[in-house]
Amino acid sequence: MGCADLHSHSTASDGALAPAALVALARSLGVTTLALTDHDTMDGVPEAVAAGRDAGVTVIPGVELSARVQSGSMHILGYFGDPQPAGLVERLRRFRELRVERAQEMVERLARLGAPVAWDDVERRAAGAIGRPHVAEALVAAGHAADRHDAFARYLADDGPAYVPSSSISPQQALEILAAGGGAPVLAHPFSLGLEGEALRGAVADLAQMGLRGIEVHRPDHGAIERAALLEIAQALDLVPTGGSDFHRPDGPVALGDTGSQPVPEETVSALRALR
Ligand code: AMP
Ligand code: FE
Ligand code: FE
Ligand code: ZN
């Protein structure tokens, strides 16, 4: 029996592996169902689907959208049956244009903060949707940060001095955009909202009212307590409990296919299929 990983990134956004290389890694690790969920793009999906067909890995087309909330950003994943959902492609192109303007703004802020990086150096690190990790790499290369993590801690985190939001859409708009493309919207890394207990349950209940269909329960950064709390919320609100590694790079903190101490249940994949 293989395992499912429903959250991963490629060079189409801020991952280090090209879509085909990501699928090859999945195969070598026994991941038999992989969702590619790049930030604001599905440009990597056709290559991943083709590679999956050859390698015997089922690739689920996906995307990760950012919405603006008071604490910074909320990430909502969308899962699709079609690699290029009609209507969504144009929308995502616009989001990526805004990402370029936003990255330029962060570079300007960094200069004012005494940590200048060359725009060209940031830009050449991004093959697709540009994001904070590309700016972080440029900061490290310029000697302004010890490593990627340090670049976020000093400058780029949601409460950092160089942070500019990537998105100005509301959670409701993100949910509508995904649903309009025929997708099933799922809340990514729920604890990044900075809420717990009843406050988290209330926030997720509001999202469920607006069309949220699932919530990430199984992640390598969740322990048994987090998993249990999220599973209870999922059951109470009739949301599909999903999960994934949020893999970005082989030298990063998580391995592809790592969803914590429990695998993503088989029923999750069929439940997501039934939703979209
Ligand atoms: P963006 O979509 O451009 O705002 O960038 C968000 C991405 O930055 C996330 O998906 C992660 O890949 C990365 N990221 C966010 N926070 C951190 C952090 N503290 N350390 C390293 N990477 C981070
Ligand atoms: Fe990312
Ligand atoms: Fe995310
Ligand atoms: Zn992600």
Side-chain angles (χ1 to χ4, degrees):
M1 193 200 85
C3 74
D5 185 335
L6 302 178
H7 191 159
S8 69
H9 296 267
S10 76
T11 46
S13 67
D14 58 0
L17 299 182
L22 185 71
V23 171
L25 179 61
R27 182 192 155 88
S28 75
L29 294 172
V31 175
T32 50
T33 300
L34 177 71
L36 181 63
T37 53
D38 277 307
H39 302 280
D40 290 341
T41 185
M42 294 183 72
D43 286 356
V45 169
E47 179 183 320
V49 168
R53 206 171 285 138
D54 293 343
V57 175
T58 302
V59 172
I60 298 177
V63 72
E64 182 169 20
L65 295 188
S66 307
R68 205 164 169 180
V69 290
Q70 208 146 26
S71 60
S73 65
M74 173 189 288
H75 289 180
I76 302 176
L77 301 159
Y79 298 102
F80 300 86
D82 183 343
Q84 302 287 300
L88 196 65
V89 172
E90 250 330 291
R91 210 67 200 238
L92 296 176
R93 193 194 314 281
R94 180 65 192 141
F95 288 160
R96 293 197 297 278
E97 286 169 4
L98 293 171
R99 276 182 170 274
V100 173
E101 292 171 25
R102 171 257 196 164
Q104 285 169 334
E105 237 178 282
M106 289 195 290
V107 165
E108 283 164 25
R109 284 193 185 212
L110 286 167
R112 290 200 292 273
L113 290 162
V117 293
W119 170 247
D120 287 357
D121 190 44
V122 176
E123 200 182 25
R124 72 175 181 84
R125 294 172 190 277
I130 196 166
R132 281 183 282 170
H134 305 111
V135 181
E137 281 173 28
L139 277 166
V140 174
H144 301 307
D147 53 29
R148 206 177 268 114
H149 182 81
D150 188 41
F152 273 86
R154 282 174 193 266
Y155 302 107
L156 298 172
D158 283 17
D159 55 358
Y163 176 69
V164 177
S166 76
S167 156
S168 55
I169 61 170
S170 66
Q172 170 135 29
Q173 284 173 307
L175 292 166
E176 283 168 4
I177 289 165
L178 294 171
V186 170
L187 181 62
H189 36 78
F191 288 108
S192 70
L193 293 176
L195 305 171
E196 50 184 299
E198 281 308 308
L200 180 60
R201 181 189 290 258
V204 178
D206 290 346
L207 293 168
Q209 284 284 323
M210 297 177 214
L212 188 76
R213 308 306 298 270
I215 182 168
E216 280 194 328
V217 170
H218 303 284
R219 287 181 55 97
D221 50 358
H222 291 170
I225 292 171
E226 287 83 8
R227 238 177 7 243
L230 293 169
L231 199 55
E232 202 188 305
I233 291 176
Q235 281 162 353
L237 299 172
D238 197 21
L239 298 172
V240 177
T242 75
S245 62
D246 210 344
F247 176 84
H248 281 77
R249 58 194 67 257
D251 62 351
V254 301
L256 188 65
D258 182 359
T259 59
S261 60
Q262 286 182 11
V264 176
E266 300 261 356
E267 312 86 77
T268 291
V269 177
S270 42
L272 277 181
R273 275 222 170 82
L275 282 179
R276 59 187 196 214

